[in-house]
Amino acid sequence: MEMLRKLQYFTTTAKIASEWVSAYTGIQVISNRVTPGHRDSKGRPEWYDLLTGIGRGSLPTLLVNDIGLELAYNPGTVVGLCGSILEHEVRAWGSGDRVCYAHFMREAVRQRLGVNAAGWVMQNIYGKYLPSHVASAKGFIP
């Protein structure tokens, strides 16, 4: 959110930054398109892209080729993915229309605004917000 606050100070981005409600710096709309296998090279390895699929009657599959994973990617599915590390694709989905909203971060935006990189998400970050009995039952590391 530090990047969003900094974008609010520039005259060219102030208006949109004051209305932007996402922690991500960009959203791409992909409509009725097969997506060949690829990695997203403009983010950081520790950042998760968020893929949201919507539509009617489509039965797409999200393939994560590097780990041999094939996920049902039905309308309403949301997937968090380290897109710069894992090659991923969506092949033909059959009949019906489909749209994917791909939320992402750009390293160039972070650098331009002088915001420190947050680093990898660690289990103890979540554990400190849980009640102690839940954290211990789930095996969270203090």
Side-chain angles (χ1 to χ4, degrees):
M1 295 310 278
E2 184 180 347
M3 281 193 271
L4 193 53
R5 281 192 294 277
K6 288 192 174 194
L7 285 168
Q8 291 171 351
Y9 290 108
F10 294 105
T11 56
T12 56
T13 56
K15 183 173 178 4
I16 190 70
S18 66
E19 297 173 4
W20 191 258
V21 294
S22 176
Y24 291 92
T25 58
I27 300 174
Q28 180 178 21
V29 179
I30 305 167
S31 176
N32 290 333
R33 183 172 160 227
V34 170
T35 309
H38 69 284
R39 289 181 186 82
D40 303 311
S41 63
K42 296 179 181 173
R44 292 178 60 93
E46 65 270 25
W47 290 347
Y48 282 77
D49 299 329
L50 191 65
L51 308 174
T52 306
I54 63 171
R56 293 179 190 231
S58 54
L59 298 171
T61 301
L62 175 66
L63 302 166
V64 185
N65 300 322
D66 292 321
I67 57 176
L69 184 63
E70 188 171 321
L71 300 170
Y73 195 30
N74 297 324
T77 301
V78 178
V79 177
L81 176 77
C82 289
S84 66
I85 294 177
L86 299 171
E87 181 181 295
H88 52 287
E89 68 179 286
V90 175
R91 295 184 184 152
W93 58 88
S95 64
D97 293 324
R98 78 177 282 283
V99 174
C100 170
Y101 292 101
H103 300 74
F104 54 86
M105 300 287 287
R106 289 291 188 249
E107 173 64 5
V109 174
R110 184 199 67 78
Q111 288 177 2
R112 169 71 169 90
L113 297 174
V115 174
N116 291 330
W120 291 96
V121 175
M122 305 299 285
Q123 183 185 40
N124 63 347
I125 293 171
Y126 295 110
K128 70 181 176 184
Y129 296 105
L130 295 172
S132 59
H133 70 282
V134 173
S136 64
K138 298 289 184 184
F140 275 78
I141 301 167

